[in-house]
Amino acid sequence: QVQLVESGGGLVQAGGSLRLSCAASGSRFSFSSMAWYRQTPGKQRELVASITSGASITSGGRTYYADSVKGRFTISRDNAKNTVYLQMDRLKPEDTAVYYCNRIAPWATLPWGQGTQVTISS
């Protein structure tokens, strides 16, 4: 089975930065469009950013960002390593949540990992 492992979270002050990683393992894994989500107790999981696979090896992935993180977060991928990243800059207390990664397509969604906790102090 393909498994997702998130890492890179931690406790930082407002205005600081973190880089999250999402590694996927499995012999039958296909690296397609991926996304980062976050969830706070009492609220539904929300989409933070996503990145598509390129049309070719010369085409990079297209990205999407939620309005709340646009201009501060950057999503990227390394297909050779089956890994997606989320560079988080100028962090705000509102960014505090557990961050998860997964595929976007409902038919391709994998079992959710444990997520990585991001806590921003003011």
Side-chain angles (χ1 to χ4, degrees):
Q1 295 184 15
V2 175
Q3 293 185 319
L4 299 171
V5 180
E6 300 93 345
S7 62
L11 173 63
V12 298
Q13 292 183 319
S17 299
L18 285 172
R19 192 192 192 203
L20 308 184
S21 297
C22 171
S25 62
S27 60
R28 292 186 173 86
F29 177 74
S30 178
F31 197 66
S32 56
S33 297
M34 298 290 293
W36 281 97
Y37 304 84
R38 65 186 181 188
Q39 187 169 24
T40 300
K43 299 190 67 176
Q44 289 188 321
R45 183 179 62 248
E46 65 173 332
L47 176 66
V48 176
S50 65
I51 184 168
T52 66
S53 59
S56 69
I57 59 174
T58 60
S59 178
R62 301 180 183 85
T63 59
Y64 162 84
Y65 299 95
D67 290 341
S68 59
V69 306
K70 193 173 299 181
R72 299 188 297 116
F73 291 8
T74 303
I75 188 171
S76 61
R77 65 196 301 167
D78 186 336
N79 292 348
K81 296 181 178 180
N82 286 345
T83 303
V84 293
Y85 306 94
L86 185 66
Q87 178 65 44
M88 310 163 69
D89 299 317
R90 300 187 298 282
L91 286 161
K92 304 176 180 179
E94 306 92 272
D95 296 320
T96 296
V98 178
Y99 285 70
Y100 303 88
C101 65
N102 214 319
R103 289 170 171 162
I104 297 176
W107 57 87
T109 299
L110 300 168
W112 296 94
Q114 295 298 305
T116 184
Q117 176 70 51
V118 171
T119 303
I120 313 302
S121 62
S122 60

Coordinates of all heavy atoms in Angstrom, one line a residue, residues 56-114:
S56 N 4.8 17.5 -19.5 CA 6.0 16.7 -19.9 C 7.1 17.0 -18.9 O 6.9 17.8 -18.0 CB 6.4 17.2 -21.3 OG 6.9 18.5 -21.3
I57 N 8.3 16.4 -19.2 CA 9.4 16.6 -18.3 C 9.9 18.1 -18.4 O 10.7 18.5 -17.5 CB 10.5 15.6 -18.6 CG1 11.0 15.8 -20.0 CG2 10.1 14.2 -18.3 CD1 12.3 15.0 -20.3
T58 N 9.5 18.8 -19.4 CA 9.9 20.2 -19.6 C 8.9 21.2 -19.1 O 9.1 22.4 -19.1 CB 10.2 20.5 -21.0 OG1 9.1 20.3 -21.8 CG2 11.4 19.6 -21.6
S59 N 7.8 20.6 -18.5 CA 6.7 21.5 -18.1 C 6.5 21.3 -16.5 O 6.3 20.2 -16.1 CB 5.4 21.2 -18.8 OG 4.3 22.0 -18.3
G60 N 6.6 22.4 -15.8 CA 6.4 22.3 -14.4 C 5.0 22.2 -14.0 O 4.1 22.4 -14.8
G61 N 4.7 21.9 -12.8 CA 3.3 21.8 -12.3 C 2.7 23.2 -12.1 O 3.3 24.2 -11.8
R62 N 1.4 23.2 -12.3 CA 0.6 24.4 -12.1 C 0.2 24.4 -10.6 O -0.1 23.4 -10.0 CB -0.7 24.4 -13.0 CG -0.4 24.4 -14.5 CD -1.7 24.4 -15.3 NE -1.4 24.3 -16.7 CZ -1.3 23.1 -17.4 NH1 -1.3 22.0 -16.7 NH2 -1.0 23.1 -18.7
T63 N 0.1 25.6 -10.1 CA -0.1 25.7 -8.6 C -1.4 26.5 -8.3 O -1.8 27.3 -9.1 CB 1.1 26.4 -7.9 OG1 1.3 27.7 -8.5 CG2 2.3 25.5 -8.1
Y64 N -1.9 26.2 -7.1 CA -3.1 26.9 -6.6 C -2.8 27.2 -5.1 O -2.3 26.3 -4.4 CB -4.4 26.0 -6.8 CG -5.5 26.5 -5.9 CD1 -6.3 27.6 -6.2 CD2 -5.7 25.9 -4.6 CE1 -7.3 28.0 -5.4 CE2 -6.7 26.4 -3.8 CZ -7.5 27.4 -4.2 OH -8.5 27.9 -3.3
Y65 N -3.3 28.3 -4.7 CA -3.1 28.7 -3.3 C -4.4 29.3 -2.7 O -5.1 30.0 -3.4 CB -2.0 29.7 -3.1 CG -0.7 29.2 -3.5 CD1 -0.2 29.5 -4.8 CD2 0.1 28.4 -2.7 CE1 1.1 29.0 -5.2 CE2 1.4 28.0 -3.1 CZ 1.8 28.3 -4.3 OH 3.1 27.8 -4.7
A66 N -4.8 28.9 -1.5 CA -5.9 29.5 -0.9 C -5.6 31.0 -0.6 O -4.4 31.4 -0.5 CB -6.2 28.8 0.5
D67 N -6.6 31.8 -0.7 CA -6.4 33.3 -0.5 C -5.6 33.6 0.8 O -4.8 34.5 0.8 CB -7.7 34.0 -0.5 CG -8.4 34.0 -1.9 OD1 -7.7 33.8 -2.9 OD2 -9.6 34.3 -1.9
S68 N -5.9 32.8 1.8 CA -5.3 33.1 3.1 C -3.8 32.9 3.2 O -3.1 33.4 4.1 CB -5.9 32.2 4.2 OG -5.8 30.9 3.9
V69 N -3.2 32.1 2.2 CA -1.8 31.9 2.2 C -1.1 32.4 1.0 O 0.1 32.3 0.9 CB -1.5 30.4 2.4 CG1 -2.2 29.8 3.6 CG2 -1.9 29.6 1.1
K70 N -1.8 32.9 0.0 CA -1.3 33.4 -1.2 C -0.2 34.4 -1.0 O -0.4 35.4 -0.2 CB -2.4 33.9 -2.1 CG -2.0 34.1 -3.6 CD -3.2 34.5 -4.4 CE -4.2 33.4 -4.4 NZ -5.4 33.7 -5.3
G71 N 0.9 34.2 -1.6 CA 2.0 35.2 -1.5 C 3.0 34.8 -0.3 O 4.0 35.4 -0.2
R72 N 2.5 33.9 0.5 CA 3.4 33.5 1.7 C 3.8 32.1 1.6 O 4.9 31.7 2.1 CB 2.6 33.7 3.0 CG 2.2 35.1 3.3 CD 1.6 35.3 4.7 NE 0.3 34.5 4.8 CZ 0.2 33.5 5.7 NH1 1.2 33.1 6.4 NH2 -0.9 32.8 5.8
F73 N 3.0 31.2 1.0 CA 3.4 29.8 0.9 C 3.8 29.5 -0.6 O 3.2 30.0 -1.5 CB 2.2 28.9 1.3 CG 1.9 28.9 2.8 CD1 2.5 29.8 3.6 CD2 0.9 28.0 3.3 CE1 2.1 29.9 5.0 CE2 0.6 28.1 4.6 CZ 1.2 29.0 5.5
T74 N 4.6 28.5 -0.7 CA 5.0 28.0 -2.0 C 5.1 26.5 -2.0 O 5.8 25.9 -1.2 CB 6.4 28.5 -2.4 OG1 6.4 30.0 -2.4 CG2 6.8 28.1 -3.8
I75 N 4.3 25.9 -2.9 CA 4.3 24.4 -3.1 C 5.2 24.0 -4.2 O 5.2 24.7 -5.3 CB 2.8 23.9 -3.3 CG1 2.8 22.4 -3.2 CG2 2.3 24.4 -4.6 CD1 1.4 21.8 -3.2
S76 N 5.9 22.9 -4.0 CA 6.8 22.4 -5.1 C 6.8 20.9 -5.0 O 6.3 20.3 -4.1 CB 8.2 23.0 -4.9 OG 8.8 22.6 -3.7
R77 N 7.5 20.3 -5.9 CA 7.5 18.8 -6.0 C 8.8 18.3 -6.5 O 9.5 19.0 -7.3 CB 6.3 18.2 -6.8 CG 6.4 18.6 -8.3 CD 5.1 18.4 -9.0 NE 4.6 17.0 -8.9 CZ 3.4 16.6 -9.1 NH1 2.5 17.4 -9.5 NH2 3.1 15.3 -9.0
D78 N 9.2 17.1 -6.1 CA 10.3 16.4 -6.7 C 9.8 15.0 -7.0 O 9.7 14.1 -6.2 CB 11.4 16.3 -5.6 CG 12.7 15.7 -6.2 OD1 12.7 14.9 -7.2 OD2 13.8 16.0 -5.6
N79 N 9.5 14.8 -8.3 CA 8.9 13.6 -8.8 C 9.9 12.4 -8.6 O 9.4 11.3 -8.3 CB 8.6 13.7 -10.3 CG 7.4 14.6 -10.5 OD1 6.7 15.0 -9.6 ND2 7.2 14.9 -11.8
A80 N 11.1 12.6 -8.7 CA 12.1 11.5 -8.5 C 12.1 10.9 -7.1 O 12.4 9.8 -6.9 CB 13.5 11.9 -8.9
K81 N 11.7 11.8 -6.2 CA 11.7 11.4 -4.8 C 10.3 11.1 -4.2 O 10.1 10.8 -3.1 CB 12.4 12.4 -3.9 CG 13.9 12.6 -4.2 CD 14.4 13.7 -3.3 CE 15.9 13.9 -3.5 NZ 16.5 14.9 -2.6
N82 N 9.3 11.3 -5.1 CA 7.9 11.1 -4.7 C 7.6 12.0 -3.5 O 7.0 11.5 -2.6 CB 7.6 9.6 -4.4 CG 7.5 8.8 -5.7 OD1 7.4 9.3 -6.8 ND2 7.5 7.5 -5.5
T83 N 8.0 13.2 -3.6 CA 7.9 14.1 -2.5 C 7.3 15.5 -2.9 O 7.7 16.0 -4.0 CB 9.2 14.3 -1.8 OG1 9.8 13.1 -1.4 CG2 9.1 15.2 -0.6
V84 N 6.5 16.0 -2.1 CA 6.0 17.4 -2.3 C 6.3 18.2 -1.1 O 6.4 17.7 0.0 CB 4.5 17.5 -2.6 CG1 4.1 16.8 -3.9 CG2 3.7 16.8 -1.4
Y85 N 6.6 19.5 -1.3 CA 7.0 20.4 -0.3 C 6.1 21.6 -0.2 O 5.4 22.0 -1.1 CB 8.4 20.9 -0.6 CG 9.4 19.8 -0.8 CD1 9.7 19.4 -2.1 CD2 10.1 19.2 0.3 CE1 10.7 18.4 -2.3 CE2 11.0 18.2 0.0 CZ 11.3 17.8 -1.2 OH 12.3 16.9 -1.5
L86 N 6.1 22.2 1.0 CA 5.3 23.4 1.2 C 6.2 24.4 2.0 O 6.5 24.2 3.2 CB 4.0 23.2 2.0 CG 3.1 24.4 2.2 CD1 2.6 24.8 0.8 CD2 2.0 24.1 3.2
Q87 N 6.8 25.4 1.3 CA 7.6 26.4 2.0 C 6.6 27.4 2.5 O 5.8 28.0 1.8 CB 8.5 27.0 1.0 CG 9.4 28.2 1.5 CD 10.3 27.7 2.6 OE1 11.0 26.6 2.4 NE2 10.4 28.4 3.7
M88 N 6.7 27.6 3.8 CA 5.8 28.5 4.5 C 6.6 29.7 5.1 O 7.4 29.5 6.0 CB 5.0 27.8 5.7 CG 4.4 26.5 5.2 SD 4.0 25.4 6.6 CE 2.6 26.3 7.3
D89 N 6.3 30.9 4.6 CA 7.0 32.1 5.0 C 6.0 33.1 5.7 O 4.8 33.0 5.4 CB 7.8 32.8 3.9 CG 8.8 31.9 3.3 OD1 9.6 31.2 4.0 OD2 8.9 31.8 2.0
R90 N 6.6 34.0 6.4 CA 5.7 35.0 7.1 C 4.5 34.4 7.8 O 3.4 34.8 7.6 CB 5.3 36.1 6.1 CG 6.5 36.8 5.4 CD 6.1 38.0 4.6 NE 5.3 37.6 3.4 CZ 5.7 37.0 2.3 NH1 7.0 36.8 2.2 NH2 4.9 36.7 1.4
L91 N 4.8 33.4 8.6 CA 3.7 32.7 9.2 C 2.9 33.5 10.2 O 3.5 34.4 10.9 CB 4.3 31.4 9.9 CG 4.7 30.3 9.0 CD1 5.7 29.3 9.7 CD2 3.5 29.6 8.5
K92 N 1.7 33.2 10.3 CA 0.8 33.9 11.2 C 0.1 32.9 12.2 O 0.0 31.7 11.9 CB -0.4 34.6 10.4 CG 0.1 35.5 9.3 CD -1.1 36.1 8.5 CE -0.6 37.0 7.5 NZ -1.8 37.5 6.7
P93 N -0.3 33.4 13.4 CA -1.0 32.5 14.3 C -2.2 31.8 13.7 O -2.4 30.6 14.1 CB -1.5 33.5 15.4 CG -0.5 34.6 15.4 CD -0.2 34.8 13.9
E94 N -2.8 32.4 12.7 CA -4.0 31.7 12.0 C -3.5 30.5 11.2 O -4.4 29.7 10.8 CB -4.7 32.7 11.1 CG -5.1 34.0 11.8 CD -4.1 35.1 11.7 OE1 -3.2 35.1 12.6 OE2 -4.1 35.9 10.8
D95 N -2.3 30.3 11.0 CA -1.8 29.2 10.2 C -1.6 27.9 11.1 O -1.3 26.9 10.6 CB -0.4 29.5 9.6 CG -0.5 30.6 8.6 OD1 -1.5 30.6 7.8 OD2 0.4 31.5 8.5
T96 N -1.8 28.1 12.4 CA -1.7 27.0 13.3 C -2.7 25.9 13.0 O -3.9 26.2 12.9 CB -1.9 27.4 14.8 OG1 -0.8 28.3 15.1 CG2 -1.9 26.3 15.7
A97 N -2.2 24.7 12.8 CA -3.1 23.6 12.4 C -2.2 22.3 12.2 O -1.0 22.4 12.2 CB -3.8 23.9 11.1
V98 N -2.9 21.2 12.0 CA -2.2 20.0 11.6 C -2.3 20.0 10.0 O -3.3 20.1 9.5 CB -2.9 18.7 12.1 CG1 -2.1 17.5 11.6 CG2 -2.8 18.8 13.7
Y99 N -1.1 19.8 9.4 CA -1.0 19.8 8.0 C -0.9 18.4 7.4 O -0.1 17.6 7.9 CB 0.1 20.7 7.5 CG -0.1 22.2 7.7 CD1 -0.2 22.8 8.9 CD2 -0.3 23.0 6.5 CE1 -0.4 24.1 9.1 CE2 -0.5 24.3 6.7 CZ -0.6 24.9 7.9 OH -0.9 26.2 8.1
Y100 N -1.7 18.1 6.4 CA -1.7 16.8 5.7 C -1.5 17.0 4.2 O -1.8 18.1 3.7 CB -3.1 16.1 5.9 CG -3.5 15.9 7.3 CD1 -4.2 16.9 8.0 CD2 -3.2 14.7 8.0 CE1 -4.6 16.7 9.3 CE2 -3.6 14.5 9.3 CZ -4.3 15.5 9.9 OH -4.7 15.3 11.2
C101 N -1.0 16.0 3.6 CA -0.9 16.0 2.1 C -1.7 14.8 1.6 O -2.0 13.8 2.3 CB 0.5 15.9 1.7 SG 1.4 14.3 2.1
N102 N -2.1 14.9 0.3 CA -2.9 13.8 -0.4 C -3.1 14.2 -1.8 O -2.8 15.3 -2.2 CB -4.2 13.5 0.3 CG -4.6 12.1 0.3 OD1 -4.3 11.4 -0.8 ND2 -5.1 11.5 1.4
R103 N -3.6 13.3 -2.6 CA -3.9 13.5 -4.0 C -5.3 14.3 -4.0 O -6.0 14.2 -3.0 CB -4.1 12.2 -4.7 CG -2.8 11.5 -5.0 CD -3.0 10.1 -5.6 NE -1.8 9.5 -6.1 CZ -1.7 8.2 -6.3 NH1 -2.7 7.4 -6.0 NH2 -0.5 7.7 -6.7
I104 N -5.5 15.0 -5.0 CA -6.7 15.8 -5.2 C -7.9 15.0 -5.7 O -9.0 15.1 -5.1 CB -6.5 17.0 -6.1 CG1 -5.4 17.9 -5.5 CG2 -7.7 17.8 -6.3 CD1 -5.0 19.1 -6.5
A105 N -7.7 14.2 -6.7 CA -8.8 13.4 -7.3 C -9.4 12.5 -6.3 O -8.7 11.7 -5.6 CB -8.3 12.7 -8.5
P106 N -10.7 12.5 -6.1 CA -11.4 11.6 -5.2 C -11.1 10.1 -5.4 O -10.9 9.3 -4.4 CB -12.9 11.9 -5.4 CG -12.9 13.3 -5.9 CD -11.7 13.4 -6.8
W107 N -10.9 9.7 -6.7 CA -10.7 8.3 -7.0 C -9.2 7.9 -6.7 O -8.9 6.7 -6.8 CB -11.0 8.0 -8.4 CG -10.3 8.9 -9.4 CD1 -9.1 8.7 -10.0 CD2 -10.8 10.2 -10.0 NE1 -8.8 9.7 -10.8 CE2 -9.8 10.6 -10.8 CE3 -12.0 10.9 -9.8 CZ2 -9.9 11.9 -11.5 CZ3 -12.1 12.1 -10.5 CH2 -11.1 12.6 -11.3
A108 N -8.4 8.9 -6.5 CA -7.0 8.6 -6.3 C -6.5 8.9 -4.9 O -5.3 8.7 -4.5 CB -6.1 9.4 -7.3
T109 N -7.4 9.4 -4.0 CA -7.0 9.7 -2.7 C -6.5 8.5 -1.9 O -7.0 7.4 -1.9 CB -8.3 10.3 -1.9 OG1 -8.7 11.5 -2.6 CG2 -7.9 10.6 -0.5
L110 N -5.4 8.8 -1.2 CA -4.7 7.7 -0.4 C -5.2 7.8 1.1 O -5.7 8.9 1.5 CB -3.2 7.9 -0.5 CG -2.6 7.8 -1.9 CD1 -1.2 8.2 -1.9 CD2 -2.7 6.3 -2.4
P111 N -4.9 6.8 1.8 CA -5.2 6.9 3.3 C -4.4 8.0 3.9 O -3.2 8.2 3.6 CB -4.7 5.5 3.8 CG -4.8 4.6 2.7 CD -4.5 5.4 1.5
W112 N -5.1 8.8 4.7 CA -4.4 10.0 5.3 C -3.3 9.6 6.3 O -3.4 8.6 7.0 CB -5.5 10.8 6.1 CG -6.5 11.4 5.2 CD1 -7.7 10.9 4.9 CD2 -6.4 12.6 4.4 NE1 -8.4 11.7 4.0 CE2 -7.6 12.7 3.7 CE3 -5.4 13.6 4.3 CZ2 -7.8 13.8 2.8 CZ3 -5.6 14.7 3.4 CH2 -6.8 14.8 2.7
G113 N -2.2 10.3 6.2 CA -1.1 10.1 7.2 C -1.4 10.7 8.5 O -2.5 11.2 8.8
Q114 N -0.4 10.8 9.4 CA -0.6 11.4 10.7 C -0.6 12.9 10.7 O -1.0 13.5 11.7 CB 0.5 10.8 11.6 CG 0.5 9.3 11.9 CD -0.8 8.9 12.5 OE1 -1.2 9.5 13.6 NE2 -1.5 8.0 11.9

